[in-house]
Each structure stands twice: as C-alpha cells, then as structure tokens.
Amino acid sequence: MQAQPVIVIHGGCGGFEGGHASYTEYGQHLRPIVESAHAVLMDKGARAAVLTAVMALEDDPLFNAGTGAKLQADGEARLSAALIDSASKIFSGVINIRRVRHPIEVAERLSHQQNHVLSGQQAQQFARQQGMADYDPVVAHRRVEYEQQLAGRHGTVGAVAVDRNGMLCAGTSTGGVGREYPGRVGDSPTIAGTYASATAAVSCTGTGEEIVNLAVAPRIVDRVDNGLALGLATAHIEEQARELGYQFGLISVDQQGHYSIAATEGIVTLYAVYQNGRVGCFIE
Ligand code: GLY
C-alpha cells in the first residue's frame, strides 16, 4: 500500500517554564522547520527528513536541545539524542554528550558503527573523531534560568515521519529537565522515548523517568504491530499515564500516514504537522 507521507515535529512540552516565548512565537519557530523537513521527506525520505527537523530544532535556542539546552545541577549542558528507522531497524543514541552542535548527528553516525549507543566523554571523543568541532551549546537565557534555580521538569524536541515508500523514522533530542543530578539519563536516548517498527514511529517528551517506567514508545509500537489502530494505541497509554498521574506527551505516525498526538493532564505539547500540502502548528 502507498503511504500518505507525513512529518510531525514537537518542540517539547515545557516551553513555558522559562517564559521565553508565547504559544504564537513557538508556532512561528516550528512552522519553517516542519516545512523544510517536509521538502526533504518528499525528496529523500523519512530518515533524512527527521534528521533535518531535529537538527534545525537543535539549532534554535528557544528549544531545550542542542543550542539552548538546559543545564544540569553542576552548571554543565549535557545532551542526549536517539534515532531509529524501519528500514535499518537500528536504534542508535548518544547520552550526556558535551560540547557538540548536533547530538542527533552523533546518533546518526553511531548507527553505522558496531556499537550504537555511547555516553559522556567517550561519546564526545567519537564525535571529534568524526570531525565534529568543539561547540558550546549554552545560551544566556539558560544560564539565567540555572542561576535563578528554575528547575523545569520537561523539555525535548523530536520528529516522526513516514515517506511514500512506507519507511518510518523517529528521532528525539534533549537537554534533559534542568538542574538534574549530573549524568542523569531520561527517556529520549532510550527506546522508551524514541522507537519505530515497520508499522509505527513514536517520539516522546515529558518526565523521562515516567516515560521509562511505562516503556511508552515500544508499547505503542507493539500494539500497532499487533493490529491496533494508532489512535487507540496512544489512547491506551495516555489512559494508563493519567491513572498514575504521569506527565508526558508524544507524537506518533503509522505506516499509512495516520498521526496521533497525546498529552497527559497538565501537559502542553507543542507540535507541527505537514501532510498533503497542508501545514499546521498546534498545542495538545
Ligand atoms: N524527556 C526528556 C527527559 O526527561 O530528559
């Protein structure tokens, strides 16, 4: 069956903790990113589109990933990202890497290596071996946030896409939650927060510990693999999260080009969709 190509991106769910911009401004930042990623989707497919979107989100200081990442308790920005697509079926990721511009690019390079996930100093070493230059992702508003002890609980960017050949891809990148114990690992660079199969792709945002507890992304994907509609699969997880009082959001697509967004109570997920010549920016 021919898929209806679609790309969905998210700018996290904690955009307002630091009060850096309004909903409208977040939409203005998301729109050109989803538009250029959609052009790549039509030309080069889902994986290239997801990489384009996540790298652009990492470059935008408004979002908590790459440039503009939050700082951990010791005042350092440590970045995590992951990528997976239905063709390679390889999950690759980078955990708590410092001083790189595009953590998702490190994850991409790792997918071609024997070892697919690296962390900390060794991940940084790998990035330098790959020719990635030293880069300081810390911006002034995050330093102020850190100094004012504004410890957020959320923040992440991500993208999911399906191309006309039915190939699916998910990518996620984050600066963590802010003021966390140095070295803490959330959901984004694990399959709990970033996962895809031949039938569905999911990228999560929100409280990493809770997303990991529920194994959110693989449980949605597994249900779709077993024939459940994507909307019902995300609704089931959303319901379980509500019962537990968990706080997170997610974006997902299936092989036919349906997409589904979820957000638990008290959470605002900022996202943008491009499908069938139509683009929109929304909050859920
Ligand atoms: N969802 C991002 C994190 O918990 O690190």
Side-chain angles (χ1 to χ4, degrees):
M1 185 197 301
Q2 184 102 8
Q4 180 63 255
V6 61
I7 178 152
V8 187
I9 67 172
H10 72 79
C13 61
F16 306 104
E17 284 163 351
H20 304 303
S22 64
Y23 284 104
T24 313
E25 282 168 291
Y26 275 97
Q28 284 163 353
H29 284 244
L30 289 175
R31 179 180 282 265
I33 294 176
V34 80
E35 282 172 349
S36 51
H38 183 264
V40 175
L41 177 69
M42 302 313 278
D43 190 28
K44 296 188 173 143
R47 186 176 174 97
V50 165
L51 278 167
T52 300
V54 176
M55 283 168 71
L57 290 160
E58 287 176 340
D59 275 342
D60 188 329
L62 196 58
F63 301 109
N64 173 24
T67 305
K70 294 184 182 186
L71 311 184
Q72 298 190 335
D74 60 355
E76 294 286 346
R78 293 184 183 82
L79 315 169
S80 297
L83 185 70
I84 180 168
D85 72 64
S86 60
S88 72
K89 299 184 181 65
I90 291 174
F91 176 92
S92 60
V94 65
I95 299 175
N96 282 318
I97 191 170
R98 291 178 55 228
R99 300 193 69 91
V100 291
R101 181 171 166 196
H102 293 127
I104 195 76
E105 199 187 356
V106 185
E108 205 288 322
R109 300 279 179 98
L110 279 165
S111 71
H112 305 287
Q113 305 295 316
Q114 193 180 351
N115 304 125
H116 297 150
V117 182
L118 283 182
S119 66
Q121 188 64 35
Q122 286 74 17
Q124 191 179 336
Q125 233 166 49
F126 171 77
R128 298 287 178 265
Q129 281 161 10
Q130 292 286 309
M132 294 179 205
D134 181 52
Y135 179 82
D136 183 4
V138 178
V139 299
H141 70 256
R142 293 298 183 202
R143 182 67 63 193
V144 170
E145 224 179 69
Y146 173 78
E147 275 156 14
Q148 292 178 349
Q149 311 228 345
L150 289 170
R153 282 187 301 161
H154 317 116
T156 293
V157 304
V160 289
V162 61
D163 60 32
R164 58 165 72 91
N165 299 317
M167 177 169 137
L168 288 140
C169 184
T172 313
S173 182
T174 189
V177 292
R179 283 197 160 265
E180 64 268 69
Y181 198 94
R184 170 244 184 212
V185 182
D187 61 297
S188 311
T190 76
I191 60 166
T194 309
Y195 199 59
S197 72
T199 67
V202 180
S203 169
C204 297
T205 173
T207 308
E209 286 76 0
E210 297 175 352
I211 296 166
V212 169
N213 288 346
L214 264 188
V216 172
R219 285 178 71 201
I220 291 173
V221 166
D222 190 52
R223 286 180 162 122
V224 179
D225 283 351
N226 284 299
L228 198 65
L230 182 67
L232 288 175
T234 57
H236 277 179
I237 287 285
E238 214 176 359
E239 188 52 41
Q240 287 179 2
R242 278 215 184 88
E243 281 164 15
L244 292 162
Y246 282 178
Q247 293 204 309
F248 60 80
L250 63 91
I251 56 174
S252 61
V253 293
D254 72 13
Q255 201 196 12
Q256 286 76 46
H258 304 111
Y259 61 89
S260 177
I261 317 296
T264 61
E265 257 155 53
I267 282 292
V268 173
T269 301
L270 306 150
Y271 71 99
V273 185
Y274 198 132
Q275 185 171 43
N276 245 342
R278 283 202 298 271
V279 60
C281 300
F282 309 93
I283 52 171
E284 171 85 18

